[in-house]
Amino acid sequence: MSEQTTDLRETVRQRYAAAAVQVTEGATACCGPRPVEVDENFGSALYATEERDTLPAEAVAASLGCGNPTAVAELREGERVLDLGSGGGIDVLLSARRVGPTGKAYGVDMTDEMLALAIANADKAGATNVEFLKGTIEAIPLPAHTVDVVISNCVINLSTDKAAVFAETYRVLRPGGRIGVSDVVADDSLTPERRAERGDYAGCIAGALSFAEYRAGLEAAGFTDIEIRPTHTVADGMHSAVVRASKPAASEPGAQAAAPTDACCGVNACCTDDETPADPGASVSAAKAASGCGCQNRQT
């Protein structure tokens, strides 16, 4: 990792750590948590009032996104969903409600302060089907073929290695899985230099991909059915956009090799003497635990 890349990542981490601290410290004051200051293009105002009212105030106050990915992804009962850059947990908690007790919502974030805030918010919300993991979105700490849906809210633009993010997203999705992302995207006519003139990296502007670059990155990772639709302008030539795409099912021509057909719960030959992890980098017990498998009588 280059020095510039390391510096950019640390700048992003510091900004979001400070936001979490602001919310946490405000929650102990008489007036409640102080929302992180953003303009009308970012933050909790992009969620419906009835959604905000069901969540802890701290989760709402920490919202820094540019959309509502839980609505974009059209989550269904029983699905497993992963939020990239989960922050204070607003999208994980909303996802957990949508997928219900038979589903699960994961959140991954690299910032300790945000993870602590998210876990506290999950406790306040009484959410039992959620799990927050420390890690980066370029190296997601989950086995392959773990989740049905990947969401993210104005975070992918902050990555310094977006090709890795797309590849990791593809890896953790089950065949036939999908993404539903809100992100900042630039007009194709804007060079990286002109994007940087409109805002800084940590402010979700300078690091944004163009529409063509975003599509090419998803295609290179193997995604199909790609849709990138702008929703509102956040700066001159820069837009909040809805991004949808699918991982081909195993039966589709050209699909990359997926888990064997006898795989379930993250393992092959589940609950037999021949169990092996679907992800060679994980143990059988770790694969089952990550998938929330109910068939765990043969963990090894």
Side-chain angles (χ1 to χ4, degrees):
M1 186 181 295
S2 70
E3 183 176 347
Q4 181 184 21
T5 296
T6 301
D7 289 345
L8 283 173
R9 177 176 285 183
E10 179 58 17
T11 298
V12 171
R13 191 202 65 77
Q14 289 179 359
R15 183 197 180 201
Y16 288 89
V21 170
Q22 176 181 322
V23 171
T24 301
E25 290 181 347
T28 63
C30 63
C31 300
R34 294 177 295 161
V36 179
E37 291 186 5
V38 291
D39 63 32
E40 67 276 7
N41 298 310
F42 299 88
S44 62
L46 300 174
Y47 295 82
T49 301
E50 55 268 26
E51 289 181 311
R52 300 196 302 268
D53 289 347
T54 65
L55 299 174
E58 293 81 0
V60 176
S63 175
L64 289 161
C66 58
N68 183 351
T70 60
V72 169
E74 300 176 351
L75 301 176
R76 298 184 283 268
E77 189 85 15
E79 290 188 317
R80 296 185 175 277
V81 57
L82 167 65
D83 181 20
L84 302 181
S86 47
I90 185 170
D91 293 315
V92 172
L93 296 179
L94 288 173
S95 295
R97 290 177 180 271
R98 289 176 182 264
V99 301
T102 60
K104 186 166 183 178
Y106 295 96
V108 61
D109 204 283
M110 68 176 182
T111 307
D112 290 329
E113 293 85 351
M114 276 295 186
L115 286 168
L117 177 60
I119 291 169
N121 286 332
D123 289 340
K124 290 175 183 176
T128 58
N129 60 336
V130 305
E131 183 177 352
F132 292 98
L133 306 167
K134 183 174 182 179
T136 67
I137 63 176
E138 298 86 1
I140 299 169
L142 283 174
H145 320 304
T146 299
V147 296
D148 301 294
V149 188
V150 172
I151 64 172
S152 186
N153 196 351
C154 208
V155 173
I156 294 175
N157 69 80
L158 296 171
S159 172
T160 56
D161 188 353
K162 295 173 180 65
V165 176
F166 295 145
E168 279 290 273
T169 300
Y170 191 95
R171 180 186 67 84
V172 300
L173 278 170
R174 293 171 175 163
R178 65 192 188 279
I179 67 170
V181 167
S182 295
D183 208 5
V184 173
V185 184
D187 285 343
D188 291 335
S189 60
L190 291 184
T191 63
E193 293 74 21
R194 293 179 64 192
R195 297 169 212 173
E197 293 171 356
R198 287 153 170 78
D200 62 16
Y201 206 98
C204 301
I205 300 298
L209 296 173
S210 70
F211 285 90
E213 290 166 345
Y214 219 117
R215 178 175 294 276
L218 290 171
E219 289 176 343
F223 285 99
T224 59
D225 304 320
I226 299 167
E227 174 194 356
I228 307 174
R229 178 174 57 83
T231 58
H232 60 274
T233 299
V234 298
D236 182 25
M238 311 288 292
H239 313 273
S240 174
V242 167
V243 181
R244 294 186 177 95
S246 301
K247 178 175 180 175
S251 60
E252 291 184 15
Q256 293 188 4
T261 56
D262 61 348
C264 74
C265 294
V267 299
N268 306 318
C270 187
C271 294
T272 74
D273 292 331
D274 299 321
E275 282 184 335
T276 58
D279 179 1
S283 66
V284 167
S285 58
K288 285 187 170 183
S291 71
C293 182
C295 176
Q296 303 207 20
N297 58 311
R298 298 193 62 86
Q299 288 188 8
T300 58

